[in-house]
Amino acid sequence: MDVVGIVLAAGAGRRMGGPKALVGGWADPRTPLAEVAARLHEGGCPRVLTVIGAEADAVRVAVGDPPAWLRLVEARVLSEGLGASLHAGLRAGGDAPVALVSLVDLPDVRADVVARLLTAVPLGQRTLARAAYGGVPGHPVLIGRAWWPRVSEVALGESGARDLFAAEEHLLVECGDLATGRDRDSDLPERA
């Protein structure tokens, strides 16, 4: 099954002091964007799209010459938030029947989480599933192509596909034994 991986990394990262795609401090010497993209690929996504936006030129320079399986996609309407990034990623997904969507700021969500999600769920155009950590829903999420038009309707502002998952039955795949699923800036204070 051709699952396209999509890393949402367009945000400015105001609380982190810069775009999440560039802010380092992880164990891996690569940029967070390159690291997360590699995890999706190693976990079973044959191609990965990374949606960039804030400081897009600097992100391109930091990523350098991407491998053949990686493509940078620019979200041009950043003021529309996470929803705009998700729309850009799905539009660029081509004819893939399923998208595996992850956030760039999940430092302990590794290839084993991606692999578990891809192998635990029947993959197809009606797939709707997400990783869970100690029973708490998180990322990555799997969205079959049949849901993409609905995502376009509900992914507004910073909500992403949250409303779709709240309204529709979906599978939860427990991954709490592999990771916490916490985002990198969850404990940072809000910046003005």
Side-chain angles (χ1 to χ4, degrees), residues 13 16-26 31-32 184:
M16 293 177 63
K20 292 179 182 182
L22 294 174
V23 176
W26 293 20
T31 63
R184 186 160 181 252

Side-chain angles (χ1 to χ4, degrees), residues 46-61:
R47 60 192 174 104
V48 178
L49 307 172
T50 58
V51 183
I52 61 173
E55 297 188 38
D57 290 338
V59 173
R60 282 189 185 88
V61 169

Side-chain angles (χ1 to χ4, degrees), residues 72-133:
L72 301 179
V73 175
E74 190 168 345
R76 302 231 180 243
V77 190
L78 294 180
S79 62
E80 292 181 15
L82 183 67
S85 296
L86 184 54
H87 290 278
L90 292 176
R91 274 194 307 274
D95 59 357
V98 181
L100 182 137
V101 181
S102 186
L103 306 177
V104 72
D105 63 341
L106 303 173
D108 72 344
V109 174
R110 302 194 185 284
D112 54 356
V113 172
V114 173
R116 179 175 291 173
L117 194 57
L118 290 176
T119 57
V121 173
L123 299 175
Q125 296 206 12
R126 302 266 330 143
T127 297
L128 196 58
R130 70 187 313 166
Y133 304 92

